[in-house]
Amino acid sequence: MQRSMGILGTRWKPIIIYTLRDRKARFGQLDALIENISRKVLTSSLKELEEDGIILREEFKELPPRVEYALTEKGKALIPIMCQLAKWNEEYYEEPAPLIL
Amino acid sequence: MQRSMGILGTRWKPIIIYTLRDRKARFGQLDALIENISRKVLTSSLKELEEDGIILREEFKELPPRVEYALTEKGKALIPIMCQLAKWNEEYYEEPAPLIL
DNA sequence: TAAAGTAGTTACCTTTGCGTAACTATCAAA
DNA sequence: TTTGATAGTTACGCAAAGGTAACTACTTTA
């Protein structure tokens, strides 16, 4: 478990994996699909996920350049887990009590 | 997903939940069961998990004092997810290549 | 020659996560 | 009165995570 969390224990990485669950995506698409993530964190997270064998980066020698990110087998194995995590929130989420000023 | 990760997206919280999957535990037990966690992070993580309705803190008015932590229903719903995450690592873990000096 | 599109990078800064070590409170027992 | 046990807290500081904004590189199209 400690090792799993060494790889995934950040706010954004599971969200990136979840976003790639049913499609490849290009850098700009990920940036657009994931609200509030900064390009910088996206870059570094993608790089680390690639190093950990979870995603694959495919570069097309075109103009303008195109790069696609997709899950590896190891990454695909996480899809059901990520989906359950999303479902868990839907089931148990409660609006925070409104602040009365 | 963003909300799930707002609650769980740290290195230690999922490990704490995983540790409580099959037992209640006292503060000192958690400190001993979870290798390398510091008491400070344990304290603050437990507090936040309680605020998020994932664990329950039960204080016994004894001497010496005793406090037990256990998962709530919301927390128990995470058990299968955490177990899958642990299993995922066992399946896909590879020893890092040894450094040759 | 300048704009437009893609995929970043870089510099700089703030916040959060986390660690270590020492300290606190309470009461019982020695 | 000192020790021991439990469950923390506090002070201090480092490193990682994350944000913003401006900039780069390449080539096509206007």
Side-chain angles (χ1 to χ4, degrees):
Chain A
M1 195 59 169
Q2 303 238 10
R3 278 198 307 253
S4 293
M5 296 320 292
I7 295 175
L8 301 171
T10 72
R11 235 167 223 63
W12 291 113
K13 285 180 188 173
I15 295 175
I16 293 172
I17 295 166
Y18 183 68
T19 305
L20 290 172
R21 69 191 180 283
D22 54 3
R23 50 141 76 83
K24 300 178 179 183
R26 305 170 58 168
F27 182 83
Q29 289 180 312
L30 287 170
D31 189 32
L33 286 167
I34 301 174
E35 284 178 34
N36 299 318
I37 199 173
S38 67
R39 293 170 98 70
K40 187 201 159 195
V41 170
L42 184 53
T43 304
S44 65
S45 300
L46 287 170
K47 206 167 287 176
E48 290 174 17
L49 287 171
E50 196 193 356
E51 285 169 8
D52 287 326
I54 290 172
I55 64 174
L56 209 69
R57 180 181 185 278
E58 194 178 2
E59 200 174 341
F60 297 86
K61 305 285 182 194
E62 297 176 0
L63 285 162
R66 181 159 62 104
V67 178
E68 284 187 348
Y69 294 93
L71 296 176
T72 61
E73 286 310 306
K74 182 175 178 181
K76 284 180 192 168
L78 288 169
I79 296 176
I81 302 179
M82 296 302 138
C83 288
Q84 281 180 270
L85 219 43
K87 198 176 151 206
W88 171 81
N89 184 271
E90 281 169 30
E91 276 181 41
Y92 288 94
Y93 178 69
E94 293 179 27
E95 293 287 334
L99 285 181
I100 299 169
L101 304 178
Chain B
M1 196 58 170
Q2 303 240 7
R3 278 198 307 255
S4 292
M5 296 321 292
I7 294 175
L8 301 171
T10 73
R11 232 165 225 68
W12 291 112
K13 285 180 187 174
I15 295 175
I16 294 172
I17 294 165
Y18 184 68
T19 303
L20 289 172
R21 70 191 179 284
D22 55 2
R23 47 141 76 81
K24 300 179 180 185
R26 305 171 59 168
F27 182 83
Q29 289 179 312
L30 287 170
D31 190 31
L33 286 167
I34 302 173
E35 283 178 34
N36 300 318
I37 196 171
S38 66
R39 293 169 99 71
K40 187 199 161 197
V41 170
L42 184 54
T43 305
S44 65
S45 300
L46 288 170
K47 206 168 284 176
E48 290 173 17
L49 286 172
E50 196 192 358
E51 284 169 9
D52 287 324
I54 291 172
I55 63 173
L56 209 70
R57 179 181 185 279
E58 194 179 2
E59 200 174 341
F60 297 86
K61 303 288 181 192
E62 298 177 352
L63 284 163
R66 179 159 63 104
V67 178
E68 283 188 347
Y69 294 93
L71 295 176
T72 61
E73 285 310 306
K74 182 175 178 180
K76 286 179 191 168
L78 288 169
I79 295 176
I81 301 178
M82 297 301 135
C83 288
Q84 280 179 269
L85 220 42
K87 199 177 150 206
W88 171 81
N89 183 271
E90 282 169 31
E91 277 182 41
Y92 289 92
Y93 178 69
E94 293 179 26
E95 295 287 334
L99 285 181
I100 300 169
L101 304 178

